[in-house]
Amino acid sequence: MMKIKNNDTNKTYLSYIVVPVLFFVLYYLIQTKTINMYWRNIILICGINGVVAMSLNLINGITGQSCLGQAGFMSVGAYVSAMLTKNVFKPYMTDTFQTYALFVAALIIGGLAAGLIGFLIGLPSLRLRGDYLAIITLGFGEMIRVMWRVVPAAGRAKGINSIPKVTNFVSVYIIVFLVMLIFRNFTKSSYGRSCIAVRENELAGETMGINTTAAKIRAFVFAAIVAGIGGGLYSHLMTFINPDTFNSAKSTDYVLYLYTGGVGSFSSALLGAIIFTIIPEILRFMGEWRLVVYPLVLILTMIYRPKGLFGKHEFGFMRFGEKENEYEKEENAGILMLISKAVKSLLNGKKEKTRKEAQ
Amino acid sequence: MKKYMFLALVLIMAFASVMAVSANETLKIGLCQPITGSMAMSGLYSTHGVQLAIDQINEAGGLQVGDKTYDLELLIEDNEGKPDITINAVSKLISDGVVAIVGTNSSSTSMAGGPIATSEKVVMVSTTGTNPDVTQVGGEYMFRSCWIDSYQGYLAAKLAYETLGKRRAAILYNNADDYSTGIMDFFVKSFEEMGGETFVQAYAGAEIKDFKAQITAFKDWEPDVIFIEAQAAELPLPTQQIRELGMDTQIVGAASWDNELLTQLTPKEDLEGIIYVTTFCADSDEPKAKEFVEAYKAKWDGELPMNQATMSYNAMRIIAQALQDCGKVDDPEAFRDAMAAVNMELPNGHFEYDENRDPQISGVLMTFRDGVGVYYGEIGN
């Protein structure tokens, strides 16, 4: 009995409660229109950007490769699923159940198509690393974009329009949560650990009998599938996509979300995507100046928080509820840690001051 | 610190008292255009056009809708010329309570914003979203103040084939741009139907700076007319390079050429004699047009109203007219029907929508003389 109780105190269940509570609070606010259409759209885009940023974290953060073509994977998912729902599934989308069943099917097929492309890009990554790999992925991403521009079925430069608008808050929230769970379990599995081994020391990993080639390809394919699902959500939210939506600037955005949030952690990638999707919208009151202030925020973030705003912290449920020990907290050193430290030192300072005054 | 607080308070009070002077209620009109980005010039001209219309209405004592008079207030949101940002900008305007939105300037962004406007029952008027799909995709609340690409492409082909008597047309277009691609398709189709031959060369994106390969191909094919149409910022370089490589073939274009940017970025001698078809010519003799040009020049330091500014001015005028016609501001369906039924005179002529919410606008031919776009002739159906 005692033992179980001990175990309980060593675990934190806060996030297990926060996830459903946050869902119902947001859902309620959206249903009652307290959150207007504008902010609802932004919340959805935050979630979608979060999904893609997390998929990028699998390549950049967990496997230690560098990928600059995430928008390319995303576009494959977006186009394939949009073409499916628009041209094939639309007549069958009669009731709510069928609509969402077919939507999920389209998302999965789009994700798998993106995974296929991810496999193709994963192949050269066997020989290349670092900057060279980044260039290859950048090139691949651009190639995919230019490909959509010449495929007549994809509408060429005009893109695809009148895509059924089926992405909603519930679907985005559930997919974000599922993606996080899947990534959590993947990272903790032997497959995920072999990816981490590749990141830490490829040679040592190979010596220990890990198939580093397979680990890298697995990471690329898996990340591409998830990015493709994100793309599918995106196209069914926007109802309109064209090739230039997925240009290299978009890929750069995801790298930005990941690194400002904190590379190596899925929670940080999600939070980074949320914060840096919202900031340009909050700055809208500045008009043209927001495009000056936004990069300034980024520069300051990178100077003062090179580990990213949230460091390597994960949400509680991403750690299976295990508490972080002091060492991990210090090592991960997110912005929350910094704030709590500052508050502590402020309080201590006051205490010392009062002590001195007392003396 | 206190001093500044006080100052701020005084300013706010002063501002509030100024606001309170006008007894009219205000009616918000949204403008969604690229204020930043590669199409920022269009956004600027559009702001000028809409602002002029709003100021004219307000100075005349406000807009009479039913038995109330309203002052118009313009809310501007930047869409950076990107479809995804347009969705945010349009949603924001609608959340801010605008009755109608003017914008956007391009077809792709209009197609992104239109469905939202329709789902929220807010009238949106694209200024130069010329793709035929804009009003189809946008839904029943999506209108436009410009013509459509199929008609524009046809007029440009007619200009080359009939007015100029050319038979071999070389076409340069941007395959990354839906506007350029669309109008190329319509030009080629119309020109070939008329009996001409065509030769198409593409370039891949607005960032391309070198067109020598395409121009050399043109040289070998020996066209007697070259048709170039893309966003205005992309036109100066190919024009210069065509002349640099020693081709003096007649160049024709469409409405994008009607942009001051071109006359600033291209040497005068390269522009000389290029003929383009557009919607409005500033040296028109029509009284309505003259009045508009005078007002515009007076307001914006002698700047001449070009296609974008005129279309934006028109969009605002159409919205105002429709509001007056329907007589209430809180009935979106009646407002939409009034928009569709609008029947009025605008600076560039009579204005009416067809059943697809596309207007019938007559074209006018313009040419460059000494680096300035001047009237060349009329072009009919």
Side-chain angles (χ1 to χ4, degrees), chain A residues 18-208:
Chain A
V18 168
V19 170
V21 167
L22 187 68
F23 173 80
F24 284 112
V25 168
L26 285 175
Y27 186 73
Y28 175 77
L29 290 177
I30 287 171
Q31 287 306 87
T32 56
K33 306 235 163 160
T34 318
I35 292 181
N36 61 27
M37 181 192 58
Y38 168 59
W39 282 106
R40 188 198 63 203
N41 246 340
I42 292 171
I43 290 173
L44 295 187
I45 293 171
C46 282
I48 293 167
N49 283 344
V51 168
V52 183
M54 285 192 284
S55 76
L56 185 63
N57 185 43
L58 185 65
I59 302 179
N60 284 27
I62 303 296
T63 321
Q65 308 296 304
S66 42
C67 178
L68 287 177
Q70 213 64 6
F73 298 141
M74 198 180 160
S75 78
V76 175
Y79 267 94
V80 170
S81 61
M83 283 192 269
L84 271 177
T85 47
K86 194 188 165 191
N87 302 330
V88 185
F89 291 162
K90 211 173 185 179
Y92 307 104
M93 287 176 146
T94 43
D95 57 35
T96 322
F97 174 74
Q98 268 179 324
T99 303
Y100 284 96
L102 288 171
F103 176 44
V104 169
L107 283 182
I108 290 170
I109 296 171
L112 291 177
L116 187 71
I117 302 288
F119 177 69
L120 292 177
I121 301 182
L123 288 179
S125 78
L126 312 178
R127 292 160 167 272
L128 298 169
R129 61 189 64 173
D131 303 344
Y132 307 101
L133 178 62
I135 292 167
I136 287 242
T137 53
L138 184 73
F140 251 107
E142 286 296 284
M143 213 172 92
I144 296 168
R145 176 169 71 101
V146 175
M147 183 186 82
W148 295 124
R149 221 186 249 171
V150 291
V151 175
R156 310 234 306 257
K158 206 173 80 186
I160 302 181
N161 50 45
S162 327
I163 303 164
K165 188 169 183 161
V166 280
T167 301
N168 57 13
F169 174 70
V170 180
S171 53
V172 169
Y173 198 94
I174 290 174
I175 286 177
V176 167
F177 184 63
L178 280 181
V179 162
M180 291 190 88
L181 285 188
I182 291 170
F183 274 142
R184 173 192 75 172
N185 293 356
F186 177 82
T187 317
K188 286 276 174 186
S189 72
S190 66
Y191 300 114
R193 288 183 193 281
S194 61
C195 286
I196 295 174
V198 171
R199 175 187 73 190
E200 295 300 334
N201 192 330
E202 205 176 326
L203 196 63
E206 214 157 36
T207 323
M208 298 305 290

Side-chain angles (χ1 to χ4, degrees), chain B residues 4 6 31 51 85 103 141 160 166 178 180 192 195 198 214 227-228 319 339-340 345:
Chain B
Y4 288 114
F6 181 70
L31 176 69
Q51 192 68 54
I85 311 283
Y141 284 81
K166 308 291 185 188
D178 59 332
S180 190
E192 283 178 352
T198 54
Q214 289 91 334
F227 175 70
I228 314 177
I319 289 170
M339 279 294 294
E345 293 301 320

Side-chain angles (χ1 to χ4, degrees), chain B residues 275-298:
Chain B
I275 303 172
Y276 55 92
V277 47
T278 184
T279 50
F280 179 70
C281 174
D283 19 287
S284 167
D285 286 330
E286 296 289 319
K288 196 108 185 163
K290 267 191 161 166
E291 192 188 315
F292 164 64
V293 174
E294 285 310 313
Y296 189 92
K297 275 168 79 175

